[in-house]
Amino acid sequence: MTKSDLVTAVIAKTGCSRIVVENVLYQALSTSSKELRAGRKVTLTGFGAFCVSMRKAHSGVNPKTREAVNVPEKRVVTFRASGKLKKLVENK
């Protein structure tokens, strides 16, 4: 599902205008991104939690040249699904 598909689905469920739904979605994603950038956790009850963690520096291999390379430490976003979402997906 793309962002456009999500907007269309919300319009069908709520009857709100496309502009309103797009604006709400944009604001929600923008606010969540700012919180994550600041290193704070974003929790959506019943869906899951996004958080920023540090991936340790490690050595890797360039697949083209097979040369060893050092991969530096970096911040990554991780997602942990809620129990409710896990059960929903499991029970298709």
Side-chain angles (χ1 to χ4, degrees):
M1 175 177 259
T2 65
K3 187 163 66 169
S4 178
D5 294 338
L6 182 59
V7 168
T8 303
V10 172
I11 290 168
K13 293 271 187 185
T14 64
C16 292
S17 72
R18 177 169 292 280
I19 302 242
V20 169
V21 173
E22 286 176 345
N23 189 37
V24 169
L25 183 58
Y26 172 80
Q27 293 301 327
L29 294 176
S30 177
T31 302
S32 297
S33 297
K34 287 176 187 172
E35 290 298 306
L36 290 168
R37 187 167 189 206
R40 292 187 283 270
K41 186 176 183 179
V42 176
T43 302
L44 304 173
T45 304
F47 186 73
F50 296 89
C51 60
V52 176
S53 58
M54 291 300 291
R55 182 174 290 161
K56 293 179 183 177
H58 62 280
S59 59
V61 177
N62 181 331
K64 248 184 188 177
T65 63
R66 300 285 183 213
E67 182 181 332
V69 292
N70 290 324
V71 179
E73 179 179 67
K74 67 178 183 176
R75 291 168 34 126
V76 294
V77 176
T78 58
F79 174 73
R80 183 177 171 133
S82 71
K84 202 180 257 188
L85 180 61
K86 287 178 185 178
K87 285 180 183 176
L88 182 67
V89 169
E90 185 180 299
N91 293 328
K92 295 183 185 179

